[in-house]
């Protein structure tokens, strides 16, 4: 419970109404305006901005980070109960009893995302200066990067679901443009279309959820919806929670809407780092965490969140074990790690902070590994097949070291950022009540072991063992514009966990939003969980070393078992969608088209129209222009009227 200044005890701290921002925080609109300005200038300026456009876009992104850091400093100087500020923008929709105002919500949760988005996003801008150096259309690429950053900032800073949806669709548009940036390749254009279409399913669910909120509460702003959440029936809250979850599944590539993520690796590698590691795929986690007030009142919807997270973390881990494309292996890893975050927010108050903690650390080590993958591609003539790599650690040492930092973090090596954040999620899973503790705890534990295996497989196949390069390969290190961002992210991958958690910085920062959650007694002693996680991690690394580091790796993938073949094909997700969704959907559309053409237009509407045309044709014959005919018709009418009057009397 949180005591507000008005003396009202609220179950959900996020339901506290924000006070109007002053000082630096009142300029928070610049966070969005700066990258949006960059996108506009580069797109409208066209070729005239080719020379300075990419650098301008990068500087504006860093400018947004500076503004965010200044706002955080002001927020940190306020008391915990005062760290919820409102920045009014304009009156948006006013009709009847409905009044929607556009505004920004400055609080610890939104600003944590702001710093992650702008810092990691700006590093990726710097990296792109080197990676896209020879692309003739790099100006447009940087415009899209700025557009994406601006849209993501709208999403996390919005003070209402309606404005959040604007950012939600904005990142969808920017993602489509970036994934299909090289759309002269039909496969890349198809991947962009697939991401766009699959996300529309989740977006439709989010629209219905907002409509339900509007019907129930008469508003879409967080303060009203969260503050009055308890006034709605449990069934209503459950429906809203499930619809929000489906929206989150689309954007965060969670089961059953995860099929687009692997194909989205078609875009330039900085796109993979920005969209599919550090920012866009975390939007679903943000949506659920921001909607805490709803989920805390509907255990069924919250349980559904945890189940989706548990399924996806195993799904992504299994798929990652069989991928030979370095970017697709990392994409499967992203899917799995977001699953950990969804599992955490589904655990309730104890999991919210750990989910955001893992989201932040994952943003660093996964972005670092994606940029490292780009550096490997730069060294290997844009090849992505790890079976054609090997022994690159001797040739591109900076990439090897920085990628290794991310690898240690994601497998949960002690005292790295991932060890602090992911292990807390596993421990919280074992603290869930009843059967949930055993199921979610064991799933999270098993996922940690599989993660250690497939990420070590990726690391050893790429950087260790014997060289399996093709004849034209001449590995060379990337320029400083690419390696310096990788170094910064590597440092964060190693030390960020120790900086944020043991010091209490993160928990103290987020508690005004999420409150203080107490864990249930764990089913297994804490030391037992920690030892189990470490043993599984060590086994995963050892197995990967024996198979992919020490032994010879075939340059052509062996046929493998049925399980291996299934994992290579994403556990037949596309086949499932084709059989049970696309074909039945196409059949339904075809049937409706036939019904519309033959039954409605051809039968009901067409028959009625033909009948009326026949009657009109008969009546038309009476319109002959002779006065005597019209007089006779009038006489017949008068007789009919008099007859009707006589019958009535």
């Amino acid at each position: 419970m949180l005591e507000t200044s008005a003396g009202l005890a609220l179950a959900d701290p996020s339901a506290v109404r924000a006070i109007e921002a002053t000082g630096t925080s009142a300029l928070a609109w610049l966070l969005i305006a700066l990258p949006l300005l960059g996108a506009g200038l580069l797109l409208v300026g066209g070729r005239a901005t080719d020379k300075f456009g990419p650098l301008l876009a990068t500087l504006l992104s860093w400018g947004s980070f500076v503004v965010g850091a200044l706002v955080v400093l002001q927020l940190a100087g306020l008391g915990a109960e005062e760290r919820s500020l409102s920045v009014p923008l304009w009156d948006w929709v006013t009709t009847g009893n409905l009044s929607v105002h556009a505004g920004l919500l400055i609080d610890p949760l939104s600003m944590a995302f702001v710093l992650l988005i702008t810092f990691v996003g700006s590093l990726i801008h710097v990296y792109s200066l080197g990676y896209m150096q020879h692309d003739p259309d790099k100006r447009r690429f940087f415009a899209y990067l700025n557009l994406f950053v601006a849209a993501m900032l709208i999403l996390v800073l919005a003070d209402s679901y309606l404005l959040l949806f604007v950012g939600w669709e904005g990142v969808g548009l920017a993602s489509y443009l970036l994934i299909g940036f090289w759309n002269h390749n039909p496969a890349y254009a198809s991947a962009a279309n697939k991401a766009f279409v699959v996300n529309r399913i989740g977006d439709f669910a989010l629209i219905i959820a907002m409509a339900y909120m509007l019907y129930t509460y008469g508003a879409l702003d967080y303060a009203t919806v969260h503050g009055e959440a308890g006034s709605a029936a449990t069934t209503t809250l459950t429906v809203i929670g499930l619809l929000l979850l489906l929206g989150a599944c689309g954007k965060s590539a969670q089961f059953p809407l995860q099929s687009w993520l692997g194909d989205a690796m078609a875009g330039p590698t900085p796109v993979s780092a920005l969209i599919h590691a550090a920012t866009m795929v975390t939007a679903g986690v943000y949506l659920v965490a921001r909607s805490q007030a709803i989920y805390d009142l509907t255990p069924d919807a919250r349980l559904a969140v945890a189940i989706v997270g548990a399924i996806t973390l195993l799904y992504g881990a299994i798929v990652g074990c069989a991928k030979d494309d370095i970017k697709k292996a990392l994409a499967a890893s992203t899917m799995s790690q977001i699953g950990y975050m969804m599992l955490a927010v589904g655990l309730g108050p104890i999991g919210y902070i750990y989910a955001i903690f893992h989201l932040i650390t994952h943003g660093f080590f996964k972005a670092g590994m994606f940029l490292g993958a780009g550096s490997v591609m730069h060294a290997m003539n844009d090849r992505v097949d790890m079976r054609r790599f090997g022994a690159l650690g001797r040739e591109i040492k900076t990439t090897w070291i920085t990628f290794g930092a991310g690898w240690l973090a994601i497998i949960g090596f002690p005292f790295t950022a991932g060890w602090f954040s992911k292990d807390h999620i596993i421990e919280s899973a074992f603290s869930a009540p009843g059967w949930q503790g055993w199921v979610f705890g064991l799933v999270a534990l098993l996922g940690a072991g599989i993660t250690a295996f497939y990420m070590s497989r990726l690391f050893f196949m790429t950087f260790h063992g014997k060289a399996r390069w093709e004849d034209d390969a001449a590995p060379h290190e990337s320029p400083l514009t690419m390696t310096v961002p990788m170094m910064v992210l590597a440092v964060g991958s190693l030390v960020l966990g120790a900086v944020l958690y043991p010091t209490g910085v993160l928990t103290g920062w987020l508690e005004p939003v999420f409150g203080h959650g107490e864990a249930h007694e764990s089913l297994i002693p804490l030391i037992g969980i920690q030892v189990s996680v470490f043993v599984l991690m060590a086994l995963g690394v050892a197995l990967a070393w024996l198979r992919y580091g020490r032994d010879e790796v075939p340059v052509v993938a062996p046929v493998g078992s049925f399980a291996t073949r299934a994992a290579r094909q994403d556990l037949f997700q596309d086949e499932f969608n084709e059989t049970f969704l696309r074909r039945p959907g196409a059949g339904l559309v075809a049937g409706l088209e036939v019904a519309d053409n033959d039954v409605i237009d051809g039968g009901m509407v067409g028959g009625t129209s033909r009948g009326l045309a026949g009657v009109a044709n008969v009546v038309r014959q009476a319109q002959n222009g002779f006065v005597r005919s019209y007089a006779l018709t009038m006489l017949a009418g008068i007789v009919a009227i008099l007859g009707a009057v006589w019958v009535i009397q």
Side-chain angles (χ1 to χ4, degrees):
M1 305 287 281
L2 178 72
E3 194 73 10
T4 69
S5 58
L8 299 175
L10 297 173
D12 172 36
S14 67
V16 178
R17 291 186 179 272
I19 59 176
E20 188 164 343
T22 58
T24 305
S25 59
L27 300 176
W29 57 271
L30 285 171
L31 289 165
I32 301 167
L34 290 176
L36 197 59
L37 173 65
L41 289 176
L42 269 62
L43 290 174
V44 175
R47 295 296 179 186
T49 63
D50 277 354
K51 291 185 177 180
F52 64 87
L55 182 58
L56 175 64
T58 303
L59 291 175
L60 288 172
S61 183
W62 279 113
S64 191
F65 169 73
V66 171
V67 173
L70 293 175
V71 173
V72 167
L73 287 176
Q74 180 187 350
L75 215 59
L78 302 175
E81 70 283 356
E82 299 173 326
R83 293 177 185 169
S84 184
L85 306 177
S86 171
V87 181
L89 296 178
W90 62 81
D91 292 339
W92 195 356
V93 179
T94 303
T95 175
N97 295 326
L98 176 63
S99 181
V100 179
H101 307 281
L104 307 181
L105 175 61
I106 309 300
D107 72 350
L109 178 60
S110 63
M111 293 312 300
F113 273 81
V114 164
L115 290 186
L116 175 67
I117 294 164
T118 55
F119 184 71
V120 175
S122 297
L123 286 176
I124 293 170
H125 275 71
V126 174
Y127 178 94
S128 299
L129 291 173
Y131 190 89
M132 301 293 290
Q133 181 178 1
H134 302 296
D135 193 289
D137 207 12
K138 61 182 178 181
R139 179 263 316 164
R140 184 167 57 91
F141 178 80
F142 277 85
Y144 293 162
L145 286 185
N146 265 194
L147 178 63
F148 177 86
V149 170
M152 191 68 194
L153 290 171
I154 292 173
L155 191 158
V156 300
L157 286 169
D159 67 351
S160 70
Y161 285 98
L162 187 58
L163 188 57
L164 173 143
F165 188 72
V166 173
W168 193 271
E169 292 302 292
V171 294
L173 171 62
S175 174
Y176 170 78
L177 295 172
L178 286 166
I179 294 169
F181 183 74
W182 290 324
N183 55 19
H184 55 270
N185 184 324
Y188 294 178
S190 177
N193 290 334
K194 183 177 182 180
F196 192 80
V197 171
V198 173
N199 270 273
R200 298 289 73 73
I201 300 172
D203 295 354
F204 183 63
L206 183 53
I207 291 173
I208 299 175
M210 290 192 295
Y212 213 164
M213 291 177 195
L214 195 59
Y215 173 77
T216 304
Y217 304 109
L220 290 171
D221 60 285
Y222 298 147
T224 301
V225 174
H226 296 168
E228 299 179 9
S231 65
T234 302
T235 302
T236 298
L237 291 171
T238 301
V239 171
I240 293 174
L242 291 175
L243 289 169
L244 291 175
L245 171 59
L246 186 56
C249 287
K251 200 65 73 181
S252 290
Q254 297 293 283
F255 180 86
L257 300 179
Q258 78 281 9
S259 62
W260 63 272
L261 189 64
D263 297 87
M265 298 301 103
T269 301
V271 174
S272 304
L274 178 64
I275 297 179
H276 308 298
T279 50
M280 175 176 152
V281 291
T282 64
V285 179
Y286 174 81
L287 177 64
V288 176
R290 177 58 78 188
S291 304
Q292 171 199 4
I294 294 173
Y295 285 101
D296 282 351
L297 296 173
T298 170
D300 291 340
R302 194 168 71 189
L303 177 60
V305 174
I307 291 173
V308 165
I311 292 173
T312 311
L313 77 87
L314 280 182
Y315 181 100
I318 293 170
V319 168
C321 290
K323 292 295 184 183
D324 292 329
D325 182 318
I326 187 171
K327 290 176 66 177
K328 290 191 175 183
L330 288 173
S333 170
T334 295
M335 186 191 306
S336 180
Q337 296 304 305
I338 301 294
Y340 271 104
M341 301 170 207
M342 293 295 283
L343 171 61
V345 292
L347 295 174
I350 188 60
Y352 290 121
I353 289 178
Y354 296 147
I356 303 304
F357 183 23
H358 192 53
L359 187 152
I360 293 171
T361 60
H362 174 264
F364 274 78
F365 60 71
K366 184 55 63 63
M369 285 190 288
F370 264 116
L371 297 187
S375 184
V376 170
M377 292 168 62
H378 177 270
M380 299 296 288
N381 297 327
D382 287 331
R383 292 188 176 90
V384 294
D385 186 358
M386 295 184 293
R387 293 185 178 277
R388 287 292 184 175
F389 293 162
L392 288 177
R394 299 194 302 263
E395 307 296 329
I396 48 176
K397 293 187 182 297
T398 301
T399 301
W400 171 59
I401 293 171
T402 55
F403 196 103
W407 165 65
L408 291 174
I410 197 171
I411 68 173
F413 193 82
F415 305 109
T416 61
W419 179 77
F420 280 103
S421 59
K422 188 167 68 177
D423 279 27
H424 279 301
I425 294 177
I426 298 172
E427 294 162 10
S428 299
F430 276 108
S431 299
W435 63 268
Q436 297 180 31
W438 286 113
V439 173
F440 295 145
L442 291 175
V443 166
L445 192 61
L446 177 61
I450 301 176
T451 298
F453 171 77
Y454 75 82
M455 288 307 302
S456 298
R457 171 184 181 270
L458 183 155
F459 187 67
F460 296 144
M461 285 181 73
T462 302
F463 296 101
H464 294 273
K466 295 181 180 179
R468 303 178 297 277
W469 314 334
E470 295 189 16
D471 294 338
D472 62 342
H476 54 285
E477 189 58 89
S478 301
L480 286 176
T481 50
M482 294 171 63
T483 56
V484 169
M486 291 158 53
M487 295 175 195
V488 175
L489 292 168
V491 171
S493 301
L494 295 176
V495 306
L496 192 61
V499 170
L500 292 179
Y501 192 78
T503 59
V505 170
L506 186 70
T507 53
W509 180 253
L510 291 177
E511 275 189 1
V513 179
F514 297 125
H516 181 70
E518 294 290 344
H520 295 83
E521 184 177 352
S522 179
L523 298 172
I524 300 176
L526 183 60
I527 186 65
I529 298 174
Q530 293 174 338
V531 170
S532 299
V533 172
F534 182 81
V535 169
L536 285 174
M537 179 207 70
L539 284 174
V541 173
L543 288 173
W545 170 256
L546 292 175
R547 180 65 187 85
Y548 300 100
R550 185 194 65 177
D551 294 348
E552 186 74 23
V553 176
V555 295
V556 177
V559 175
S561 65
F562 172 78
T564 300
R565 296 195 301 273
R568 286 175 186 158
Q569 298 181 58
D570 299 330
L571 302 183
F572 306 115
Q573 176 68 53
D574 286 337
E575 289 78 3
F576 178 88
N577 291 342
E578 174 72 16
T579 303
F580 295 101
L581 297 178
R582 196 201 67 80
R583 287 180 183 173
L588 177 61
V589 171
L592 292 174
E593 184 178 11
V594 170
D596 183 52
N597 292 335
D598 296 346
V599 178
I600 297 178
D601 287 346
M604 297 171 60
V605 176
T608 302
S609 64
R610 286 192 295 270
L612 291 174
V615 172
N617 189 53
V618 172
V619 174
R620 182 175 61 83
Q621 302 301 319
Q623 307 298 315
N624 53 21
F626 295 112
V627 173
R628 62 179 180 271
S629 296
Y630 297 156
L632 182 61
T633 303
M634 292 172 63
L635 178 61
I638 292 171
V639 171
I641 293 172
L642 291 174
V645 171
W646 181 78
V647 171
I648 294 173
Q649 289 180 345

